[in-house]
């Protein structure tokens, strides 16, 4: 998730999230920004950004498990999510060229947004029509493995969704007028994003229980119209307009390719120096516990014999309130104390919430315990999500916003996306000689322990940060 200025001195420009501090601070600044159209636009774009990801990830696991697909295959199919972690590979193209046809009409950022939304919606409809089943599918007289075709469509959704994330993040960073507003837009985006996750991770279960998975996925594709409306009503960021009009080397020349592909990384390492590797390592481990747990959450509920209506109702009520509370708490903490302290708190809360799943596995099918686990998980992950996005946003350079943020968000997800494909194998192995629920419990405890290195790295970031470098969100 994640402007382009072709000039070579872009590496020396100020970070996008840390311009001069305005006179207003704290609550007065937040309240003064709530009436701005960009805030509502950011909420809708955040919602659109969050719609596809669970539909090719955690929620998809529930559908596959109900169709009798094995845990290892569910884990393997989660690898389509690697598209989100490899988006830095094509982010330079998004930074440097306009979307076909739509770019001339809407501008660079909005053109790519609309194109990616259309492609993602079409592929989601295709997934609904194909369905995840073992068997043969006749296409044009050719017999194809149905699960393979379904997986290919899921990959298209993930690729288009990752592209949407690149430009929405760039739009968010370029549209902020100052550091505090960046914190506001980050919280607003996360709120919309988490709201979409609740729709695709909870309300869809209730809908699927009554109307079936096929219609449910078709309705989710229709919800991407929210992003289309936001894209059409949004204003193209001035930085993007200027960048598009700024002469730069032709993209498909040696100099142009270097500026597009290598320039953003050179700028990042030049700006952060020896701290760059520490930053990237901390980011890559920060949400690893959540990624590892993700593919097994919904199969766990199915094996726990929790019905879809209960899971969906709890997520859509108690889970929603907890998510809003977590997002708000992180936003306020970032404004009051800065990004680094917020990041450290998130590094504790995120992994610790996985222990609630371990307790649920050992306790068994109990709606009260399940509700408590959902409240803990949604609050902690809402908080940790805002903490990480806010910190990453503060690290980007004007001129390479999309590419650098794509780099950071790719590092944050790459290791987790690689390893989570083995989560089904891990649960199966841990359950050997034990009950399946005991295997789940051990797996969840293990994912929590994996969060310790990220916490230590965040503490190292706080210790090694030069005193002269102010945190852009600090008071």
């Amino acid at each position: 998730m994640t402007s382009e200025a072709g000039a070579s001195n872009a590496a020396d420009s100020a970070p996008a999230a840390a311009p001069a501090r305005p006179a207003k601070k704290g609550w007065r600044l937040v309240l003064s920004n709530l009436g701005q159209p960009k805030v509502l636009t950011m909420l809708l774009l955040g919602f659109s950004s969050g719609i596809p990801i669970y539909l090719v990830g955690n929620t998809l696991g529930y559908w596959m498990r109900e169709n009798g697909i094995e845990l290892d295959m569910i884990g393997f199919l989660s690898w389509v999510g690697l598209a989100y972690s490899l988006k830095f590979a094509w982010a330079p193209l998004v930074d440097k060229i306009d979307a076909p046809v739509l770019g001339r009409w809407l501008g660079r950022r909005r053109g790519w947004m609309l194109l990616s939304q259309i492609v993602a919606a079409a592929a989601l409809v295709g997934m609904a029509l194909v369905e995840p089943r073992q068997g043969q599918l006749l296409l044009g007289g050719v017999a194809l493995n149905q699960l393979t075709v379904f997986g290919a469509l899921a990959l298209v959704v993930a690729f288009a969704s990752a592209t949407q994330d690149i430009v929405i993040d760039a739009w968010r960073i370029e549209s902020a007028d100052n550091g505090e507003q960046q914190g506001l837009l980050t919280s607003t985006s996360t709120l919309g994003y988490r709201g979409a996750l609740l729709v695709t991770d909870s309300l869809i279960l209730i809908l699927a229980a009554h109307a079936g998975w096929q219609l449910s996925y078709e309705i989710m594709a229709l919800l991407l119209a929210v992003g289309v409306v936001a894209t059409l009503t949004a204003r193209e960021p001035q930085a993007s307009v200027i960048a598009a009009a700024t002469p730069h080397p032709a993209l498909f020349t040696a100099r142009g390719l270097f500026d597009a592909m290598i320039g953003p990384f050179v700028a990042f390492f030049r700006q952060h120096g020896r701290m760059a590797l520490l930053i990237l390592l901390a980011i890559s481990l920060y949400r690893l516990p959540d990624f590892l747990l993700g593919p097994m959450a919904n199969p766990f509920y199915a094996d726990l014999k929790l019905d879809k209506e209960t899971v969906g109702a709890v997520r859509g009520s108690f889970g929603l309130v907890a998510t809003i509370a977590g997002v708000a708490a992180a936003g306020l903490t970032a404004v009051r104390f800065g990004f680094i302290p917020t990041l450290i708190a998130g590094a504790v809360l995120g992994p610790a919430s996985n222990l609630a799943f371990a307790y649920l596995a050992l306790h068994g099918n109990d709606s009260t315990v399940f509700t408590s686990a959902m409240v803990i998980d949604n609050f902690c992950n809402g908080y940790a999500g805002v903490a990480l996005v806010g910190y990453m946003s503060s690290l980007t350079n004007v001129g390479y916003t999309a590419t650098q943020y794509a780099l950071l968000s790719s590092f944050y997800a790459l290791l987790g996306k690689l390893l989570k494909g083995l989560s089904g194998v891990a649960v199966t192995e841990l359950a050997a000689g034990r009950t399946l629920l005991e295997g789940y419990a051990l797996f969840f405890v293990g994912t929590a322990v994996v969060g310790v290195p990220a916490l230590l790295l965040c503490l190292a970031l706080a210790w090694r940060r030069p005193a002269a470098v102010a945190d852009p969100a600090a008071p």
Side-chain angles (χ1 to χ4, degrees):
M1 294 160 40
T2 99
S3 105
E4 158 203 346
S8 60
N9 64 350
D12 299 320
S13 57
R21 212 181 236 317
K24 292 184 179 181
K25 297 181 181 180
W27 277 103
R28 286 183 298 168
L29 179 65
V30 173
L31 291 175
S32 69
N33 280 294
L34 287 178
Q36 293 190 19
K38 70 175 70 172
V39 177
L40 177 59
T41 299
M42 189 72 262
L43 181 67
L44 298 180
L45 289 175
F47 182 84
S48 179
S49 180
I51 286 293
I53 188 167
Y54 273 5
L55 300 179
V56 294
N58 296 1
T59 299
L60 183 58
Y62 212 131
W63 189 5
M64 294 177 69
R65 191 60 170 166
E66 283 199 336
N67 283 3
I69 307 299
E70 296 296 327
L71 287 177
D72 55 355
M73 183 59 67
I74 295 174
F76 296 151
L77 193 58
S78 73
W79 273 330
V80 301
L82 281 171
Y84 293 95
S85 300
L86 299 175
K87 60 188 177 184
F88 66 88
W90 67 91
L93 298 179
V94 175
D95 251 342
K96 293 295 181 182
I97 62 175
D98 294 336
V101 181
L102 298 175
R104 294 184 180 181
W105 173 37
L106 296 173
R108 183 160 299 170
R109 299 305 183 208
R110 298 194 302 148
W112 281 112
M113 280 186 207
L114 185 57
L115 179 61
S116 60
Q117 289 157 356
I118 292 172
V119 172
L124 281 173
V125 172
M127 289 175 64
L129 296 176
V130 173
E131 297 190 276
R133 297 185 183 278
Q134 295 284 7
Q136 297 295 311
L137 187 68
L138 287 176
L139 289 177
V142 179
L144 299 172
N145 182 280
Q146 187 169 347
L147 198 57
T148 300
V149 174
F150 184 85
L153 287 167
L155 182 60
V156 172
V157 173
F159 181 83
S161 174
T163 302
Q164 179 187 216
D165 289 350
I166 291 171
V167 282
I168 287 179
D169 284 319
W171 187 91
R172 170 177 55 80
I173 294 170
E174 293 169 352
S175 295
D177 296 327
N178 50 63
E180 282 84 353
Q181 190 178 86
Q182 184 61 253
L184 173 67
L185 291 180
T186 297
S187 294
T188 304
S189 174
T190 303
L191 183 60
Y193 187 86
R194 297 290 298 185
L197 297 189
L198 283 170
V199 171
T200 58
D201 199 32
S202 61
L203 298 185
I204 191 175
L205 300 182
I206 300 174
L207 182 60
H210 295 279
W213 284 106
Q214 185 177 60
L215 179 60
S216 299
Y217 263 63
E218 291 170 347
I219 292 174
M220 295 302 108
L222 185 61
L223 285 180
L224 282 173
V226 171
V228 172
V229 171
T231 299
L232 295 176
T233 57
R235 295 182 61 182
E236 186 76 0
Q238 189 61 28
S240 178
V241 173
I242 295 173
T246 301
H248 59 81
L251 180 61
F252 297 107
T253 64
R255 183 182 172 192
L257 286 172
F258 181 88
D259 184 58
M261 305 294 294
I262 307 300
F265 308 109
V266 171
F268 181 83
F269 281 91
R270 184 180 297 171
Q271 178 187 349
H272 298 289
R274 289 178 296 177
M275 289 286 289
L277 291 177
L278 180 61
I279 290 170
L280 292 176
L281 184 58
I283 288 173
S284 70
L285 296 178
Y286 194 80
R287 299 308 304 276
L288 183 57
D290 191 44
F291 279 117
L292 293 177
L293 184 148
M296 291 298 104
N298 281 325
F300 167 56
Y301 304 145
D303 290 333
L304 200 59
K305 307 304 180 185
L306 286 166
D307 58 82
K308 291 194 291 292
E309 293 93 332
T310 299
V311 175
V314 171
R315 284 176 172 171
S317 54
F318 293 99
L320 175 60
V321 173
T323 295
I324 293 172
V327 168
L332 293 174
T333 304
V335 171
R336 178 63 183 86
F337 300 105
F339 289 131
I340 294 293
T342 306
L343 192 72
I344 293 173
V348 175
L349 292 174
S353 67
N354 291 12
L355 297 176
F357 288 93
Y359 180 78
L360 176 61
L362 295 175
H363 192 275
N365 187 332
D366 186 313
S367 59
T368 301
V369 176
F370 172 68
T371 300
S372 300
M374 288 298 96
V375 169
I376 294 170
D377 180 63
N378 280 274
F379 177 88
C380 293
N381 282 291
Y383 188 102
V386 171
L388 183 60
V389 170
Y391 176 67
M392 292 192 301
S393 298
S394 72
L395 300 173
T396 61
N397 283 79
V398 171
Y400 297 113
T401 312
T403 302
Q404 286 191 339
Y405 194 87
L407 168 69
L408 295 171
S409 58
S410 295
F411 264 84
Y412 122 76
L414 182 58
L415 183 60
K417 293 286 178 68
L418 283 170
L419 294 180
K420 77 175 187 177
L422 301 175
S423 57
V425 175
V427 172
T428 302
E429 290 297 320
L430 289 171
R434 306 179 179 90
T435 67
L436 180 59
L437 292 181
E438 287 174 341
Y440 274 118
L442 288 173
F443 173 72
F444 295 143
V445 171
T447 61
V449 173
V450 166
V452 173
L455 173 60
L456 297 178
L457 288 168
C458 288
L459 293 172
L461 283 175
W463 177 63
R464 297 194 60 180
R465 182 179 48 162
V469 178
D471 191 327

